[in-house]
C-alpha cells in the first residue's frame, strides 16, 4: 500500500521550528465549528507522531500559497509570536497585478479597517475608529503588456493587506475575486496571484538570521509564462 502523500512540503525543520510551503486553497488554521481541512491540523497530526506539540505564530490567506512557520515548543512559540507581532520577520511576496506599475519601486501606505460585510479589510481615513496603519514596499520584477509582476515586502501584516492596498490604487491582483469580482473570468488562475515567497527571521534558539524560500507554484508560473509569451509575440 502506498504511503499517503502530505498536502504540504516541508521546507525546513529543527528542534524549534517547522517551516512549510502551503498550497493555495488549503486553510492555514481551523475555522470555528468547521471540519474543513487546514494546515495547522495536518502539521499537528504529523508532528504528534513524534511527540511534538505545535503552535501557530502567523498565517497566510487560504488562497495564497507559500511559506508558513510553526513553533515546536513553548519557548520558540513565545519568541516567534513576539517577533511577528512586532513585524520583525522579513516577509517577501510575489504578486501579479493588473496594469503597468510605472515606478520601479515604491511604498504604499494606507489605513485599513476590518468590516463584517464579507469579513474584509477596506481603506479608510486615518481618523476613523478602528483604522490600523498598513505599509508595504514593492519592486517591479517584470512588466508585461497589461500586467506587472511585483516583489512585495510587508512592513505590517494585516488581513489581506497586499490585496487591499493594490486594489485601492487600481491595480488589483490577477484572479482576486474577493476584492475584484470581475476577476472571476480569469482563465489562467482560479485564485489571487499571490505567493509568500521568502521569509527571514532571527532563530529563536541561537538568534542568527535564517532565510527560507518557497518555489513559485505552477499556476503562477503559467501566468508569468503566458504573459511573457504574449509580450514577446507582439514585439516580433
Amino acid at each position: 500500500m502506498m504511503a499517503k502523500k502530505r498536502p504540504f512540503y516541508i521546507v525546513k525543520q529543527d528542534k524549534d521550528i517547522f517551516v512549510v510551503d502551503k498550497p493555495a486553497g488549503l486553510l492555514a488554521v481551523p475555522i470555528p465549528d468547521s471540519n474543513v481541512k487546514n494546515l495547522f491540523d495536518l502539521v499537528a497530526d504529523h508532528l504528534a507522531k513524534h511527540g511534538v506539540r505545535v503552535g501557530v505564530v502567523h498565517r497566510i490567506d487560504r488562497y495564497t500559497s507559500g511559506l508558513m512557520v510553526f513553533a515546536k515548543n513553548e519557548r520558540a512559540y513565545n519568541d516567534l509570536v513576539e517577533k511577528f507581532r512586532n513585524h520583525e520577520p522579513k516577509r517577501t511576496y510575489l504578486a501579479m497585478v493588473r496594469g503597468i506599475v510605472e515606478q520601479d519601486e515604491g511604498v504604499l501606505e494606507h489605513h485599513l479597517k476590518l468590516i463584517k460585510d464579507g469579513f474584509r479589510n477596506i481603506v479608510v481615513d486615518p481618523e476613523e475608529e478602528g483604522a490600523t496603519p498598513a505599509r508595504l514596499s514593492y519592486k517591479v520584477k517584470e512588466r508585461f503588456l497589461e500586467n506587472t509582476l511585483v516583489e512585495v515586502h510587508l512592513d505590517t501584516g494585516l488581513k489581506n493587506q497586499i490585496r487591499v492596498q493594490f486594489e485601492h490604487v487600481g491595480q488589483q491582483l490577477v484572479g482576486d475575486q474577493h476584492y475584484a469580482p470581475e476577476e472571476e473570468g480569469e482563465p489562467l488562475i482560479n485564485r489571487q496571484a499571490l505567493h509568500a515567497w521568502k521569509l527571514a527571521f532571527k532563530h529563536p534558539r541561537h538568534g542568527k538570521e535564517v532565510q527560507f524560500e518557497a518555489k513559485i507554484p505552477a499556476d503562477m508560473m503559467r501566468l508569468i509564462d503566458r504573459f511573457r509569451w504574449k509580450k514577446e509575440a507582439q514585439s516580433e
Side-chain angles (χ1 to χ4, degrees):
M1 186 175 175
M2 289 182 65
K4 191 176 179 182
K5 187 180 177 184
R6 278 193 310 270
F8 59 87
Y9 176 73
I10 301 171
V11 176
K12 172 71 176 181
Q13 64 173 318
D14 58 24
K15 292 179 180 178
D16 304 285
I17 61 173
F18 192 80
V19 184
V20 304
D21 183 355
K22 183 188 82 68
L26 179 64
L27 279 170
V29 295
I31 296 176
D33 304 318
S34 170
N35 294 321
V36 177
K37 187 164 69 170
N38 65 86
L39 182 60
F40 170 73
D41 287 345
L42 293 169
V43 168
D45 288 347
H46 173 77
L47 291 177
K49 298 170 190 171
H50 306 281
V52 175
R53 291 185 63 188
V54 68
V56 180
V57 298
H58 75 118
R59 62 192 66 186
I60 61 177
D61 296 340
R62 178 175 186 172
Y63 294 102
T64 296
S65 54
L67 294 170
M68 274 187 68
V69 59
F70 295 86
K72 294 174 73 173
N73 55 63
E74 188 174 0
R75 187 178 74 168
Y77 174 81
N78 291 335
D79 180 271
L80 290 170
V81 165
E82 185 70 13
K83 282 184 169 71
F84 276 93
R85 186 180 292 134
N86 294 329
H87 312 303
E88 292 175 30
K90 299 170 187 171
R91 303 173 69 178
T92 305
Y93 288 73
L94 285 178
M96 184 72 79
V97 302
R98 294 294 184 193
I100 303 300
V101 178
E102 299 294 343
Q103 291 181 295
D104 289 341
E105 53 187 72
V107 173
L108 296 183
E109 291 185 279
H110 300 99
H111 281 73
L112 306 187
K113 179 179 180 178
L114 193 62
I115 61 172
K116 289 183 179 178
D117 180 21
F119 191 51
R120 65 178 66 203
N121 262 315
I122 58 172
V123 175
V124 296
D125 291 331
E127 299 78 24
E128 188 164 330
E129 185 180 350
T132 305
R135 186 181 191 277
L136 61 79
S137 59
Y138 65 84
K139 294 179 181 177
V140 169
K141 287 192 71 68
E142 192 169 352
R143 293 181 181 91
F144 306 97
L145 292 178
E146 300 173 334
N147 303 280
T148 307
L149 182 66
V150 289
E151 178 180 315
V152 183
H153 300 270
L154 276 183
D155 294 327
T156 54
L158 306 185
K159 175 181 172 63
N160 304 158
Q161 180 184 331
I162 295 171
R163 300 161 62 188
V164 175
Q165 289 193 269
F166 274 99
E167 193 277 333
H168 186 72
V169 297
Q171 294 185 301
Q172 73 265 24
L173 269 63
V174 173
D176 190 357
Q177 300 175 29
H178 192 55
Y179 287 97
E182 64 273 20
E183 288 296 319
E184 190 174 347
E186 171 52 56
L188 294 176
I189 193 167
N190 62 358
R191 54 127 175 164
Q192 66 266 10
L194 184 63
H195 179 59
W197 185 32
K198 296 180 181 180
L199 180 64
F201 54 86
K202 290 182 178 176
H203 195 281
R205 184 172 294 266
H206 52 65
K208 296 176 183 174
E209 186 174 85
V210 288
Q211 301 179 11
F212 308 101
E213 183 174 324
K215 189 172 139 185
I216 302 172
D219 57 356
M220 282 192 65
M221 282 306 304
R222 186 168 60 239
L223 269 186
I224 293 167
D225 289 343
R226 179 63 64 88
F227 292 158
R228 189 179 286 153
W229 176 82
K230 283 184 176 179
K231 183 179 179 180
E232 290 171 354
Q234 191 181 77
S235 64
E236 287 178 357

